[in-house]
Amino acid sequence: MALDTSWFSEIDDEADSAFSLKIKRKLHEEQSPFQKVEVYETEKFGNLMVIDGFTMLTSRDNFVYHEMMAHPVLFAHPNPKNVVIIGGGDCGTLREILKHSNVEKVIQVDIDEAVTRASEKYFPELCESNDDPRATLLFDDGIKWMQDAADNSVDIVIVDSTDPIGPGEGLFNVPFYQQCRRVLGEQGLLIQQSESPLIHLELLQSIHNAQREAGFATTRSLQFYVMSYPSGWWTGTIAGQGDLTQFRREDAENLNFEALYYNAAVHEASFALPNFLQQALPE
Ligand code: SAM
């Protein structure tokens, strides 16, 4: 069936495939100094944010991504107090992190203020915790921020980035991970959104390799399902020094906040990888 202008389509050149959402209208279009930010109202998925033609999030399914970028890594750390988000300008990951009462400080470093302003307007539910006194929103290059940060000063780094093209490119390589390793010290953990295991397997492998080359002794990918991303099947990759599948199970089993996707069983299951991924990724 031919798609007319009432459909938004993201074309994935690597898989020669496309994912489309039927739209009611375009709500916002802006060329920021860094990227083109668009917001559409869709028929069935609420609002849709697009950056440089790539889907960032929809109202309907962003909870899966944001919960899985925040909760597994936070529960894998014995006592996370200081958290840094690189990217994440829509503020959905920030909201999830702030649900953890042991977190004392979260700094979100997104290069593009236009993303946050659009999110405040069109995804206000994601921005409901932005005034939490524990949160600081900075608009700066995350690569530069990490270079300037003190050694051993952060417990968790969450790289909630765009794809590795444009301003996000330098967030997927060894020099950036080396800076993260230095800033995290021995106990700290990193999670990076690491794309689709089906479509972007080489990139996923290169993320593991780069993290290990940068000094992280262990890396593990976890998987989850976001229909509006290419293939609908997505990963995050955690890097640290010890067994990354260990977590504060009792706390995860007795969540003291609302989660729509995350629970202790999902946490554990998300690390179970199909054979082709076990073979492709380092132990
Ligand atoms: N959930 C999304 C996904 O995987 O498609 C990511 C969403 S979040 C909107 C991505 C953010 O990364 C954007 O707001 C973009 O401005 C930010 N970003 C890209 N490169 C960056 C950099 N070098 N430093 C800080 N933020 C960056």
Side-chain angles (χ1 to χ4, degrees), residues 145 153 175 225:
W145 188 92
S153 56
Y225 309 96

Side-chain angles (χ1 to χ4, degrees), residues 10 37 70 84 91 132 156 163 226 233 238 242-243 253 271-272 275:
E10 176 181 339
V37 180
V84 171
C91 305
D132 186 309
I156 308 275
D163 302 337
V226 184
W233 184 8
I238 303 189
D243 179 356
E253 280 173 351
F271 286 103
N275 293 348

Side-chain angles (χ1 to χ4, degrees), residues 76-135:
H77 191 283
N79 191 12
K81 292 182 188 302
N82 291 315
V83 182
V84 171
I85 307 163
I86 301 297
D90 55 73
C91 305
T93 300
L94 175 67
R95 183 182 73 161
E96 295 306 317
I97 295 166
L98 290 167
K99 290 179 179 175
H100 290 250
S101 52
N102 46 357
V103 167
E104 293 173 357
K105 192 173 167 196
V106 189
I107 301 176
Q108 178 180 286
V109 190
D110 196 294
I111 202 165
D112 196 350
E113 186 168 357
V115 176
T116 301
R117 299 299 163 233
S119 189
E120 285 169 343
K121 191 161 177 194
Y122 299 108
F123 300 88
E125 69 284 7
L126 300 184
C127 299
E128 65 189 17
S129 303
N130 288 8
D131 293 331
D132 186 309
R134 297 173 294 161

Side-chain angles (χ1 to χ4, degrees), residues 211-267:
Q211 290 175 341
R212 288 185 185 218
E213 204 181 321
F216 290 101
T218 43
T219 56
R220 291 292 295 253
S221 290
L222 53 83
Q223 44 177 340
F224 47 90
Y225 309 96
V226 184
M227 181 179 161
S228 58
Y229 290 165
S231 84
W233 184 8
W234 217 246
T235 59
T237 298
I238 303 189
Q241 302 305 329
D243 179 356
L244 302 173
T245 60
Q246 294 290 322
F247 67 113
R248 288 180 286 122
R249 178 185 295 277
E250 212 178 302
D251 292 344
E253 280 173 351
N254 300 289
L255 286 186
N256 58 6
F257 54 79
E258 194 192 344
L260 295 175
Y261 189 84
Y262 178 84
N263 58 43
V266 163
H267 185 131

Side-chain angles (χ1 to χ4, degrees), residues 35 49 51 55-56 65-66 86-90 109-112 115 140-143 160-163 167-168 171 193 229 234:
Q35 52 210 353
M49 183 188 283
I51 293 184
T55 294
M56 291 292 116
Y65 175 88
H66 289 135
I86 301 297
D90 55 73
V109 190
D110 196 294
I111 202 165
D112 196 350
V115 176
D140 204 350
D141 185 350
I143 300 166
D160 181 0
S161 63
T162 43
D163 302 337
L171 299 173
Q193 78 84 5
Y229 290 165
W234 217 246

Side-chain angles (χ1 to χ4, degrees), residues 148-202:
D148 295 342
D151 292 4
N152 203 8
S153 56
V154 172
D155 298 314
I156 308 275
V157 171
I158 297 181
V159 189
D160 181 0
S161 63
T162 43
D163 302 337
I165 40 172
E169 193 177 348
L171 299 173
F172 290 76
N173 60 27
V174 178
F176 174 68
Y177 294 138
Q178 278 169 333
Q179 293 300 329
C180 294
R181 170 75 183 83
R182 179 183 62 73
V183 170
L184 285 166
E186 287 309 306
Q187 305 297 322
L189 299 175
L190 166 85
I191 185 166
Q192 160 92 51
Q193 78 84 5
S194 45
E195 311 273 313
S196 165
L198 197 64
I199 301 182
H200 312 114
L201 186 56
E202 278 181 23

